[in-house]
Amino acid sequence: MNWCYFRSQYSHLITRRLRELNVYSEMLPCTQKVAELSWKPKGVILSGSPFSVYEEGAPHVDPGVFELGVPILGICYGLQELAWHHGKNVLASDKKEYGHAYLNVHRHPEKGEHIDRLFQGLEDQLEVWMSHGDKLSKLPEDFVVIATTSNAPFAGIAHTKKPYYGIQFHAEVRES
């Protein structure tokens, strides 16, 4: 598992959670060029960030990440980076969120098994941890909504053809 981070306060926590699941992971900066790796990742996680993807000078992942042909999971800013790469549909939210939210999972069995893989075996409503000030303004082309909250109509998205997933919440955080 490869790991690209954007200086998120949760980057190390995500790496730790992966290792607790016995998944090998490396935390690499978003400036890492895919061509400079001596190995091919089996998957990529794009982490959160205090930045906004639309700001001048905002960190962006090497576009080569999207040519690897491996699963990609975008978490918070990572979801926004995924959407930015597929249409630049991100803007400042009228309502920033920090804390618990109720996530409603949307299933799409008619669109293919891989679409529902991220929430497979989980309930249709989950309590999650949000920490964001930006949101998707529009669903990127070839993506479907797989989760919503009362404030985030695109709290979870999945690509219809590729194993790309984005979540606005922080699944790695266990706050009480």
Side-chain angles (χ1 to χ4, degrees):
M1 174 76 56
N2 185 31
W3 171 263
C4 294
Y5 76 101
F6 298 100
R7 295 185 219 144
S8 163
Q9 71 271 31
Y10 298 127
S11 296
H12 290 282
L13 181 56
I14 295 169
T15 302
R16 189 173 97 211
R17 296 281 188 245
L18 288 168
R19 290 178 180 163
E20 287 171 357
L21 295 169
N22 294 317
V23 175
Y24 175 77
S25 64
E26 287 190 29
M27 188 165 50
L28 302 172
C30 65
T31 55
Q32 175 67 53
K33 300 294 182 207
V34 171
E36 295 172 358
L37 292 174
S38 62
W39 46 276
K40 181 181 176 185
K42 292 185 179 186
V44 175
I45 296 176
L46 305 173
S47 74
S49 174
F51 297 99
S52 294
V53 293
Y54 51 79
E55 291 178 337
E56 186 176 332
H60 293 284
V61 71
D62 175 6
V65 164
F66 299 102
E67 305 302 320
L68 287 169
V70 300
I72 297 174
L73 173 62
I75 300 173
C76 198
Y77 182 94
L79 168 134
Q80 295 161 16
E81 177 71 6
L82 192 60
W84 192 253
H85 180 78
H86 288 88
K88 299 186 174 27
N89 316 336
V90 180
L91 51 77
S93 180
D94 294 338
K95 182 181 173 191
K96 297 177 192 279
E97 284 187 289
Y98 184 80
H100 294 277
Y102 290 99
L103 184 83
N104 297 302
V105 175
H106 300 264
R107 313 282 179 185
H108 299 278
E110 74 285 356
K111 295 195 182 274
E113 182 179 305
H114 82 280
I115 300 280
D116 295 329
R117 186 168 289 147
L118 194 62
F119 295 115
Q120 187 175 4
L122 298 177
E123 300 293 324
D124 287 341
Q125 187 173 67
L126 306 166
E127 189 172 6
V128 297
W129 184 260
M130 292 287 207
S131 178
H132 66 98
D134 294 330
K135 67 179 183 180
L136 272 63
S137 59
K138 178 176 129 179
L139 191 63
E141 188 175 338
D142 294 325
F143 280 81
V144 295
V145 174
I146 59 172
T148 59
T149 68
S150 62
N151 187 53
F154 308 113
I157 62 173
H159 197 280
T160 58
K161 298 174 184 91
K162 299 176 182 178
Y164 297 171
Y165 305 91
I167 54 175
Q168 187 62 67
F169 61 95
H170 288 274
E172 73 280 10
V173 176
R174 295 182 193 142
E175 294 286 336
S176 53

